[in-house]
Amino acid sequence: MTDQASPTDAPPEGKPTSASRTTLSHIMTGSDTNLLGTVHGGVIMKLVDDAAGAVAGRHSGGPAVTASMDEMVFLEPVRVGDLVHVKAQVNWTGRSSMEVGVRVLAERWNESTPATQVGSAYLVFAAVDADGKPRTVPPVIPETERDKRRYQEAQIRRTHRLARRRAIKELREKRAAEGMED
């Protein structure tokens, strides 16, 4: 997805980070496990995508689709009986895209111990209209020093994503010009 929107879109007013921040919680059951008896990474990734999608839709005021997921990190295994909390917020916005940061925490459902961070991820969402075309999103307004840091880090990740995409495209064009097929 590109970060382009219709030229007729008026720039929307900004929204503070807290306006769309959300937490989804889910108790992990036996049906969520992998062959090792811990929760399957794909189950956690779906929860991450669900939370990030809710945040992107809230922030943009309508449909938003997952454009990419990067830096999905699993720090600790999640077990059956864990209460998993998936916390998401918009870190950065472009014209029609948004980076959503997600933290995954887990705690035992029957204990009163603090939750432990077990994962994190960054996802890019594109806001789309009814025809699936990009639409303008409101700028995010970082509220705290942490929000400002996340915004700056998101800009760095975006620069890296674009540079990687450009380098791969150039390499493929060069290989094609040399008659090399993939």
Side-chain angles (χ1 to χ4, degrees):
M1 290 255 155
T2 62
D3 197 20
Q4 303 296 317
S6 165
T8 59
D9 289 342
E13 281 200 34
K15 285 186 178 180
T17 306
S18 61
S20 57
R21 189 177 290 142
T22 194
T23 301
L24 295 179
S25 297
H26 188 77
I27 294 177
M28 298 292 105
T29 65
S31 64
D32 299 318
T33 59
N34 59 27
L35 295 174
L36 299 174
T38 56
V39 173
H40 196 289
V43 170
I44 301 299
M45 290 174 75
K46 177 162 183 353
L47 294 172
V48 164
D49 192 44
D50 287 347
V55 166
R58 276 184 176 180
H59 183 83
S60 68
V65 295
T66 311
S68 70
M69 173 187 259
D70 60 22
E71 295 187 42
M72 180 72 215
V73 177
F74 297 100
L75 302 169
E76 297 284 336
V78 176
R79 301 172 295 164
V80 170
D82 281 353
L83 178 58
V84 172
H85 308 285
V86 184
K87 299 176 175 277
Q89 75 171 48
V90 173
N91 290 335
W92 176 90
T93 53
R95 184 153 168 82
S96 63
S97 66
M98 302 155 274
E99 183 195 89
V100 179
V102 181
R103 286 183 346 150
V104 183
L105 303 134
E107 62 180 300
R108 295 305 293 166
W109 69 274
N110 59 348
E111 297 175 8
S112 59
T113 56
T116 303
Q117 185 170 350
V118 296
S120 65
Y122 299 101
L123 296 89
V124 176
F125 278 78
V128 294
D129 63 19
D131 297 320
K133 303 290 185 208
R135 61 183 176 78
T136 305
V137 300
V140 67
I141 302 168
E143 298 172 281
T144 66
E145 286 306 313
R146 180 180 281 180
D147 293 341
K148 290 173 187 171
R149 175 186 55 79
R150 288 177 176 166
Y151 185 91
Q152 291 170 331
E153 290 172 357
Q155 288 179 305
I156 292 168
R157 282 187 293 275
R158 180 175 189 273
T159 300
H160 287 198
R161 279 190 293 269
L162 293 175
R164 183 176 60 232
R165 184 181 307 149
R166 190 171 39 256
I168 290 170
K169 181 180 178 190
E170 289 170 3
L171 177 63
R172 288 180 179 174
E173 289 171 351
K174 179 182 176 206
R175 288 179 58 84
E178 294 171 351
M180 297 181 170
E181 301 227 7
D182 287 338

